[in-house]
């Protein structure tokens, strides 16, 4: 039986005192309900975390909550026999920092149905360099392959390639056997993107879309982090029966298109909603990430490692467009 303990957490409030987030002391007895109590070793910073931590986006559905949509650590107590003390586990999405306490605390309590045993071939640290970002990219590979995407169909365009999801997507799609064409507005990062496996880098500022309902096919498929005009421009460039996996909206939530890419070339748009991924797919994705799709360049993609106390600075930089690569959060790891 675990004895309730005090610990530090980055906790977010929205009440009469206003919207605020910061380090505070709380007790494990006050954590969200769940069968598995975990001592957190690492978390990570995603754009969604920056929005939640600053109040710039409506992410949390209840208050107060600990931030952090990712968590990895060691089980200290469990009422579910599937997990025992000392097990290494992880969790991404699944309501963390949305409807329940997230990974920005030295402890987290998780429902067993969303607790994933750390797959063989991964360390806790590696799992959080990847986190939701790699999970999203790998889920896109899985869904595209389920819809018959093959490397022989042509290169995969990755938009927003300089972001965390984009960088990991380059590595993961390359590992899965695809040529990757990275699209980014940050041309000074092109050499770095090539080092991750991009075969070609395309400056989005110089990517001229014709505006035609159909154009010469250029990409076998795409992972789009941007949405808006980028997504509209990509669809006419996809080969017959290619897939565009949509996972972000950095360029806007609305896009204007026609039915032509769908009824003439049979293109498909696949939605990638990583936070609510069913458990069977979740396990499948993490097994891939621990083996045949494991990114080769994790230590290079992890460009920064911070503590809970440094999170506000990280959030501000990310929302200002100044972040690069993945930020790992060292919560309780030695």
């Amino acid at each position: 039986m675990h004895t309730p303990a005090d610990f530090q957490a980055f906790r977010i409030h929205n009440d009469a005192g206003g919207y605020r987030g910061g380090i505070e002391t709380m007790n494990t007895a006050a954590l969200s309900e769940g069968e598995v109590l975990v001592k957190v070793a690492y978390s990570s910073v995603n754009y969604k975390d920056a929005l939640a931590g600053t109040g710039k986006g409506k992410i949390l559905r209840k208050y107060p909550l600990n931030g952090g949509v990712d968590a990895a650590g060691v089980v200290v107590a469990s009422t579910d026999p599937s997990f025992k003390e000392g097990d290494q586990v992880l969790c991404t999405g699944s309501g963390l920092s949305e409807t329940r306490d997230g990974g920005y605390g030295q402890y987290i309590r998780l429902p067993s149905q969303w607790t994933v045993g750390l797959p063989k071939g991964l360390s806790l640290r590696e799992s959080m360099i990847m986190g939701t970002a790699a999970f999203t990219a790998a889920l896109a590979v899985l869904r595209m392959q389920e819809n018959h995407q093959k490397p022989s169909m042509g290169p995969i365009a990755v938009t927003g390639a300089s972001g965390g999801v984009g960088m990991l997507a380059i590595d993961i799609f390359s590992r899965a056997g695809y040529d990757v064409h990275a699209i980014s507005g940050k041309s000074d990062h092109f050499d770095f993107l090539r080092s991750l496996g991009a075969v070609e880098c395309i400056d989005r500022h110089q990517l001229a879309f014709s505006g035609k309902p159909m154009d010469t096919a250029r990409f076998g498929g795409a992972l789009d982090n941007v949405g808006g005009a980028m997504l509209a421009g990509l669809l006419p460039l996809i080969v017959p029966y290619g897939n565009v996996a949509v996972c972000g909206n950095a360029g806007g939530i609305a896009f204007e298109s026609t039915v032509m890419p769908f009824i003439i070339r049979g293109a498909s748009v696949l939605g990638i909603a990583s936070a609510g991924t069913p458990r069977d797919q979740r396990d499948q994705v993490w097994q891939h990430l621990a083996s045949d799709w494991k990114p080769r360049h994790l230590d290079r993609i992890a460009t920064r490692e911070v503590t809970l106390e440094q999170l506000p600075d990280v959030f501000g930089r990310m929302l200002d467009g100044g972040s690069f690569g993945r930020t790992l959060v060292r919560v309780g790891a030695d």
Side-chain angles (χ1 to χ4, degrees):
M1 180 69 69
H2 173 78
T3 302
D6 290 341
F7 67 95
Q8 299 294 106
F10 184 91
R11 197 157 179 81
I12 302 167
H13 297 261
N14 188 14
D15 52 27
Y19 196 104
R20 63 199 184 280
I23 303 297
E24 59 186 75
T25 300
M26 62 181 295
N27 192 275
T28 53
L31 284 166
S32 303
E33 294 182 356
E35 296 79 24
V36 187
L37 181 65
V38 177
K39 185 175 183 181
V40 179
Y42 294 100
S43 184
S44 67
V45 182
N46 303 280
Y47 194 76
K48 190 174 181 180
D49 294 316
L51 292 174
T54 60
K56 297 295 177 60
K58 295 181 179 179
I59 306 300
L60 275 65
R61 299 184 188 177
K62 59 181 290 188
Y63 301 89
L65 287 178
N66 297 343
V69 302
D70 297 336
V74 179
V75 175
V76 295
S78 175
T79 59
D80 186 321
S82 302
F83 298 96
K84 63 183 185 299
E85 184 178 350
D87 285 350
Q88 294 185 317
V89 297
L90 64 89
C91 184
T92 60
S94 310
L96 300 191
S97 187
E98 185 176 344
T99 58
R100 57 183 305 108
D101 289 313
Y104 292 164
Q106 292 169 321
Y107 288 90
I108 188 171
R109 186 175 284 114
L110 300 170
S112 57
Q113 71 175 116
W114 300 121
T115 306
V116 176
L118 185 73
K120 185 178 180 180
L122 281 186
S123 68
L124 292 173
R125 185 177 186 276
E126 289 174 327
S127 76
M128 289 295 96
I129 294 174
M130 291 194 280
T132 286
F135 182 85
T136 298
L139 179 60
V141 178
L142 181 69
R143 294 211 60 208
M144 291 169 75
Q145 290 190 343
E146 288 175 343
N147 206 36
H148 311 293
Q149 190 77 42
K150 297 179 177 62
S152 60
M153 295 166 67
I156 300 297
V158 173
T159 67
S162 296
V165 175
M167 288 183 182
L168 285 159
I170 291 170
D171 212 332
I172 292 166
F173 273 95
S174 297
R175 284 281 277 150
Y178 296 86
D179 286 344
V180 177
H181 288 192
I183 300 174
S184 172
K186 300 177 179 178
S187 58
D188 55 323
H189 293 161
F190 281 2
D191 286 344
F192 184 85
L193 299 181
R194 292 187 187 96
S195 77
L196 300 181
V199 173
E200 183 175 334
C201 292
I202 303 166
D203 189 333
R204 69 173 172 84
H205 299 298
Q206 299 176 11
L207 185 60
F209 297 125
S210 69
K212 298 176 182 177
M214 299 282 285
D215 211 334
T216 303
R218 180 173 178 178
F219 303 115
L223 173 64
D224 180 42
N225 291 284
V226 178
M230 178 64 74
L231 177 56
L234 282 174
L235 288 171
L237 305 179
I238 303 300
V239 303
Y241 298 98
N243 298 279
V244 177
V246 179
C247 67
N249 62 347
I253 61 173
F255 72 99
E256 186 173 327
S257 187
T258 74
V259 300
M260 302 303 281
F262 311 114
I263 66 173
I264 301 299
R265 288 188 180 151
S268 296
V269 173
L270 305 177
I272 308 301
S274 60
T277 305
R279 181 57 192 263
D280 58 341
Q281 288 189 10
R282 189 175 293 274
D283 288 339
Q284 193 175 356
V285 168
W286 278 111
Q287 287 300 324
H288 279 299
L289 284 172
S291 54
D292 53 333
W293 295 353
K294 184 177 180 180
R296 295 185 178 98
H297 307 95
L298 287 176
D299 283 334
R300 300 187 65 195
I301 292 171
T303 54
R304 191 175 185 189
E305 186 168 327
V306 301
T307 63
L308 292 175
E309 289 78 9
Q310 294 171 294
L311 286 172
D313 176 63
V314 174
F315 294 157
R317 183 174 302 186
M318 181 171 281
L319 294 179
D320 288 340
S323 63
F324 178 70
R326 288 282 287 166
T327 297
L328 183 70
V329 183
R330 187 176 64 257
V331 181
D334 295 332

